[in-house]
Amino acid sequence: MQTLNSSSATSTQRKFRWRVVDIVVASIIGVASGVIFLFWNVAYGPLSLPLAVTPGLSALLGGGWLFAGVLGGLIIRKPGAALFTELVAAVVSALVGSQWGFSTLIWGLVQGLGAEIVFAAFLYGSYRLYVALLAGLGAGLAMAFLDTTFTDYAVLDPAFKAVYYVSAALSGVLIAGLLSWAAMRGLASAGALSRFAAGREVRRKAS
């Protein structure tokens, strides 16, 4: 029994150990996401204007800054992957020229944690669609918490905050969760993730 337990623990450690390819690909996901963040920073202004009719609806666009952690977690499937990729994306965005400066790093850290906690809750063992949606939800709620606590939104009334939270949650689920899951499946189907469990899983189901 002790030998079996020892073997199981060793297998788990090996499964969760980061490889060089994990670090490289997670970094690529983070950097590429950071570049997308930069375009989203510019697009946010004009896209949010129609949403101004209902205060708080602007959070529907928040998913454009939340997907990096979810996508990284779905592909790398190792502890810390969601946090790492979201933080790298935030660093790239801040360094190249985010209008929010280096506070972007705090948002990246907390949003990445929002997704990371969900993957951890499933013991890094399930990456089904509903887990991706919950990870996006976690990132969206983390964003809403920061925005309504540490920005000018903090002084606004509870109705605004309620709309903001719901909008952020929807954006996290649909953009960060659903689209990241679809992107992971697409990359896996194309053979780009052959060295990852995500790629092997999709190919196995397709065969």
Side-chain angles (χ1 to χ4, degrees), residues 136-156:
L137 174 63
L141 293 178
M143 179 193 74
F145 170 74
L146 288 173
D147 289 351
T148 59
T149 305
F150 300 105
T151 71
D152 293 341
Y153 292 162
V155 301
L156 298 179

PDB file of all heavy atoms in Angstrom, residues 136-156:
ATOM      1  N   GLY A 136     -13.571  31.676 -16.282  1.00  0.00           N
ATOM      2  CA  GLY A 136     -13.863  33.012 -16.804  1.00  0.00           C
ATOM      3  C   GLY A 136     -14.704  33.811 -15.829  1.00  0.00           C
ATOM      4  O   GLY A 136     -14.488  35.015 -15.652  1.00  0.00           O
ATOM      5  N   LEU A 137     -15.651  33.141 -15.196  1.00  0.00           N
ATOM      6  CA  LEU A 137     -16.469  33.810 -14.181  1.00  0.00           C
ATOM      7  C   LEU A 137     -15.605  34.302 -13.024  1.00  0.00           C
ATOM      8  O   LEU A 137     -15.769  35.437 -12.555  1.00  0.00           O
ATOM      9  CB  LEU A 137     -17.526  32.832 -13.659  1.00  0.00           C
ATOM     10  CG  LEU A 137     -18.384  33.320 -12.481  1.00  0.00           C
ATOM     11  CD1 LEU A 137     -19.219  34.522 -12.868  1.00  0.00           C
ATOM     12  CD2 LEU A 137     -19.264  32.186 -11.971  1.00  0.00           C
ATOM     13  N   GLY A 138     -14.682  33.466 -12.577  1.00  0.00           N
ATOM     14  CA  GLY A 138     -13.789  33.868 -11.491  1.00  0.00           C
ATOM     15  C   GLY A 138     -12.963  35.089 -11.842  1.00  0.00           C
ATOM     16  O   GLY A 138     -12.804  36.011 -11.024  1.00  0.00           O
ATOM     17  N   ALA A 139     -12.447  35.113 -13.065  1.00  0.00           N
ATOM     18  CA  ALA A 139     -11.666  36.272 -13.515  1.00  0.00           C
ATOM     19  C   ALA A 139     -12.542  37.509 -13.607  1.00  0.00           C
ATOM     20  O   ALA A 139     -12.121  38.620 -13.232  1.00  0.00           O
ATOM     21  CB  ALA A 139     -11.027  35.970 -14.864  1.00  0.00           C
ATOM     22  N   GLY A 140     -13.779  37.341 -14.096  1.00  0.00           N
ATOM     23  CA  GLY A 140     -14.692  38.483 -14.221  1.00  0.00           C
ATOM     24  C   GLY A 140     -15.071  39.069 -12.874  1.00  0.00           C
ATOM     25  O   GLY A 140     -15.102  40.303 -12.704  1.00  0.00           O
ATOM     26  N   LEU A 141     -15.332  38.216 -11.903  1.00  0.00           N
ATOM     27  CA  LEU A 141     -15.678  38.702 -10.561  1.00  0.00           C
ATOM     28  C   LEU A 141     -14.483  39.382  -9.902  1.00  0.00           C
ATOM     29  O   LEU A 141     -14.651  40.368  -9.167  1.00  0.00           O
ATOM     30  CB  LEU A 141     -16.177  37.540  -9.701  1.00  0.00           C
ATOM     31  CG  LEU A 141     -17.514  36.920 -10.122  1.00  0.00           C
ATOM     32  CD1 LEU A 141     -17.860  35.741  -9.218  1.00  0.00           C
ATOM     33  CD2 LEU A 141     -18.637  37.966 -10.089  1.00  0.00           C
ATOM     34  N   ALA A 142     -13.286  38.859 -10.171  1.00  0.00           N
ATOM     35  CA  ALA A 142     -12.076  39.501  -9.640  1.00  0.00           C
ATOM     36  C   ALA A 142     -11.918  40.900 -10.215  1.00  0.00           C
ATOM     37  O   ALA A 142     -11.592  41.856  -9.489  1.00  0.00           O
ATOM     38  CB  ALA A 142     -10.853  38.643  -9.962  1.00  0.00           C
ATOM     39  N   MET A 143     -12.150  41.040 -11.507  1.00  0.00           N
ATOM     40  CA  MET A 143     -12.085  42.361 -12.147  1.00  0.00           C
ATOM     41  C   MET A 143     -13.113  43.312 -11.552  1.00  0.00           C
ATOM     42  O   MET A 143     -12.806  44.468 -11.233  1.00  0.00           O
ATOM     43  CB  MET A 143     -12.313  42.229 -13.651  1.00  0.00           C
ATOM     44  CG  MET A 143     -12.279  43.545 -14.410  1.00  0.00           C
ATOM     45  SD  MET A 143     -12.907  43.416 -16.116  1.00  0.00           S
ATOM     46  CE  MET A 143     -14.678  43.290 -15.797  1.00  0.00           C
ATOM     47  N   ALA A 144     -14.351  42.832 -11.386  1.00  0.00           N
ATOM     48  CA  ALA A 144     -15.412  43.677 -10.839  1.00  0.00           C
ATOM     49  C   ALA A 144     -15.073  44.133  -9.421  1.00  0.00           C
ATOM     50  O   ALA A 144     -15.326  45.288  -9.051  1.00  0.00           O
ATOM     51  CB  ALA A 144     -16.740  42.926 -10.858  1.00  0.00           C
ATOM     52  N   PHE A 145     -14.511  43.225  -8.631  1.00  0.00           N
ATOM     53  CA  PHE A 145     -14.123  43.580  -7.264  1.00  0.00           C
ATOM     54  C   PHE A 145     -13.098  44.709  -7.262  1.00  0.00           C
ATOM     55  O   PHE A 145     -13.236  45.697  -6.521  1.00  0.00           O
ATOM     56  CB  PHE A 145     -13.559  42.365  -6.542  1.00  0.00           C
ATOM     57  CG  PHE A 145     -12.908  42.693  -5.225  1.00  0.00           C
ATOM     58  CD1 PHE A 145     -13.676  43.011  -4.114  1.00  0.00           C
ATOM     59  CD2 PHE A 145     -11.526  42.717  -5.116  1.00  0.00           C
ATOM     60  CE1 PHE A 145     -13.073  43.336  -2.907  1.00  0.00           C
ATOM     61  CE2 PHE A 145     -10.907  43.040  -3.914  1.00  0.00           C
ATOM     62  CZ  PHE A 145     -11.683  43.349  -2.809  1.00  0.00           C
ATOM     63  N   LEU A 146     -12.066  44.575  -8.083  1.00  0.00           N
ATOM     64  CA  LEU A 146     -11.033  45.615  -8.144  1.00  0.00           C
ATOM     65  C   LEU A 146     -11.608  46.939  -8.636  1.00  0.00           C
ATOM     66  O   LEU A 146     -11.341  48.000  -8.057  1.00  0.00           O
ATOM     67  CB  LEU A 146      -9.899  45.166  -9.063  1.00  0.00           C
ATOM     68  CG  LEU A 146      -8.991  44.059  -8.542  1.00  0.00           C
ATOM     69  CD1 LEU A 146      -8.038  43.611  -9.637  1.00  0.00           C
ATOM     70  CD2 LEU A 146      -8.212  44.527  -7.324  1.00  0.00           C
ATOM     71  N   ASP A 147     -12.387  46.882  -9.713  1.00  0.00           N
ATOM     72  CA  ASP A 147     -12.902  48.105 -10.330  1.00  0.00           C
ATOM     73  C   ASP A 147     -13.863  48.857  -9.413  1.00  0.00           C
ATOM     74  O   ASP A 147     -13.911  50.091  -9.432  1.00  0.00           O
ATOM     75  CB  ASP A 147     -13.619  47.775 -11.644  1.00  0.00           C
ATOM     76  CG  ASP A 147     -12.651  47.366 -12.739  1.00  0.00           C
ATOM     77  OD1 ASP A 147     -11.430  47.502 -12.542  1.00  0.00           O
ATOM     78  OD2 ASP A 147     -13.125  46.905 -13.802  1.00  0.00           O
ATOM     79  N   THR A 148     -14.654  48.122  -8.627  1.00  0.00           N
ATOM     80  CA  THR A 148     -15.649  48.782  -7.769  1.00  0.00           C
ATOM     81  C   THR A 148     -15.126  49.040  -6.362  1.00  0.00           C
ATOM     82  O   THR A 148     -15.858  49.548  -5.516  1.00  0.00           O
ATOM     83  CB  THR A 148     -16.933  47.937  -7.680  1.00  0.00           C
ATOM     84  OG1 THR A 148     -16.622  46.645  -7.142  1.00  0.00           O
ATOM     85  CG2 THR A 148     -17.581  47.785  -9.051  1.00  0.00           C
ATOM     86  N   THR A 149     -13.861  48.693  -6.126  1.00  0.00           N
ATOM     87  CA  THR A 149     -13.279  48.908  -4.800  1.00  0.00           C
ATOM     88  C   THR A 149     -12.125  49.899  -4.831  1.00  0.00           C
ATOM     89  O   THR A 149     -11.972  50.706  -3.913  1.00  0.00           O
ATOM     90  CB  THR A 149     -12.782  47.577  -4.202  1.00  0.00           C
ATOM     91  OG1 THR A 149     -13.850  46.629  -4.189  1.00  0.00           O
ATOM     92  CG2 THR A 149     -12.275  47.774  -2.772  1.00  0.00           C
ATOM     93  N   PHE A 150     -11.327  49.871  -5.898  1.00  0.00           N
ATOM     94  CA  PHE A 150     -10.093  50.651  -5.922  1.00  0.00           C
ATOM     95  C   PHE A 150     -10.033  51.675  -7.049  1.00  0.00           C
ATOM     96  O   PHE A 150      -8.964  52.193  -7.359  1.00  0.00           O
ATOM     97  CB  PHE A 150      -8.891  49.703  -6.027  1.00  0.00           C
ATOM     98  CG  PHE A 150      -8.792  48.743  -4.880  1.00  0.00           C
ATOM     99  CD1 PHE A 150      -9.142  47.415  -5.041  1.00  0.00           C
ATOM    100  CD2 PHE A 150      -8.374  49.179  -3.630  1.00  0.00           C
ATOM    101  CE1 PHE A 150      -9.059  46.519  -3.982  1.00  0.00           C
ATOM    102  CE2 PHE A 150      -8.286  48.298  -2.562  1.00  0.00           C
ATOM    103  CZ  PHE A 150      -8.634  46.964  -2.735  1.00  0.00           C
ATOM    104  N   THR A 151     -11.160  51.952  -7.699  1.00  0.00           N
ATOM    105  CA  THR A 151     -11.206  53.007  -8.712  1.00  0.00           C
ATOM    106  C   THR A 151     -12.308  53.996  -8.350  1.00  0.00           C
ATOM    107  O   THR A 151     -12.941  53.875  -7.293  1.00  0.00           O
ATOM    108  CB  THR A 151     -11.487  52.420 -10.121  1.00  0.00           C
ATOM    109  OG1 THR A 151     -12.851  51.970 -10.180  1.00  0.00           O
ATOM    110  CG2 THR A 151     -10.560  51.250 -10.430  1.00  0.00           C
ATOM    111  N   ASP A 152     -12.545  54.946  -9.233  1.00  0.00           N
ATOM    112  CA  ASP A 152     -13.605  55.929  -8.991  1.00  0.00           C
ATOM    113  C   ASP A 152     -14.974  55.288  -8.872  1.00  0.00           C
ATOM    114  O   ASP A 152     -15.901  55.879  -8.316  1.00  0.00           O
ATOM    115  CB  ASP A 152     -13.633  56.959 -10.136  1.00  0.00           C
ATOM    116  CG  ASP A 152     -12.372  57.822 -10.157  1.00  0.00           C
ATOM    117  OD1 ASP A 152     -11.676  57.881  -9.131  1.00  0.00           O
ATOM    118  OD2 ASP A 152     -12.097  58.430 -11.210  1.00  0.00           O
ATOM    119  N   TYR A 153     -15.119  54.072  -9.382  1.00  0.00           N
ATOM    120  CA  TYR A 153     -16.405  53.375  -9.289  1.00  0.00           C
ATOM    121  C   TYR A 153     -16.790  53.063  -7.847  1.00  0.00           C
ATOM    122  O   TYR A 153     -17.951  52.772  -7.557  1.00  0.00           O
ATOM    123  CB  TYR A 153     -16.362  52.072 -10.086  1.00  0.00           C
ATOM    124  CG  TYR A 153     -16.259  52.238 -11.584  1.00  0.00           C
ATOM    125  CD1 TYR A 153     -15.835  51.184 -12.382  1.00  0.00           C
ATOM    126  CD2 TYR A 153     -16.593  53.438 -12.213  1.00  0.00           C
ATOM    127  CE1 TYR A 153     -15.744  51.322 -13.767  1.00  0.00           C
ATOM    128  CE2 TYR A 153     -16.501  53.583 -13.579  1.00  0.00           C
ATOM    129  CZ  TYR A 153     -16.071  52.520 -14.351  1.00  0.00           C
ATOM    130  OH  TYR A 153     -15.984  52.662 -15.710  1.00  0.00           O
ATOM    131  N   ALA A 154     -15.808  53.112  -6.956  1.00  0.00           N
ATOM    132  CA  ALA A 154     -16.065  52.750  -5.559  1.00  0.00           C
ATOM    133  C   ALA A 154     -17.096  53.659  -4.900  1.00  0.00           C
ATOM    134  O   ALA A 154     -17.799  53.244  -3.965  1.00  0.00           O
ATOM    135  CB  ALA A 154     -14.761  52.777  -4.767  1.00  0.00           C
ATOM    136  N   VAL A 155     -17.212  54.910  -5.365  1.00  0.00           N
ATOM    137  CA  VAL A 155     -18.125  55.866  -4.722  1.00  0.00           C
ATOM    138  C   VAL A 155     -19.518  55.840  -5.345  1.00  0.00           C
ATOM    139  O   VAL A 155     -20.419  56.544  -4.879  1.00  0.00           O
ATOM    140  CB  VAL A 155     -17.549  57.304  -4.791  1.00  0.00           C
ATOM    141  CG1 VAL A 155     -16.197  57.364  -4.106  1.00  0.00           C
ATOM    142  CG2 VAL A 155     -17.426  57.773  -6.244  1.00  0.00           C
ATOM    143  N   LEU A 156     -19.698  55.038  -6.381  1.00  0.00           N
ATOM    144  CA  LEU A 156     -20.994  55.003  -7.045  1.00  0.00           C
ATOM    145  C   LEU A 156     -21.981  54.140  -6.270  1.00  0.00           C
ATOM    146  O   LEU A 156     -21.617  53.368  -5.379  1.00  0.00           O
ATOM    147  CB  LEU A 156     -20.825  54.486  -8.470  1.00  0.00           C
ATOM    148  CG  LEU A 156     -19.932  55.377  -9.367  1.00  0.00           C
ATOM    149  CD1 LEU A 156     -19.800  54.785 -10.751  1.00  0.00           C
ATOM    150  CD2 LEU A 156     -20.491  56.804  -9.456  1.00  0.00           C
TER     151      LEU A 156
END
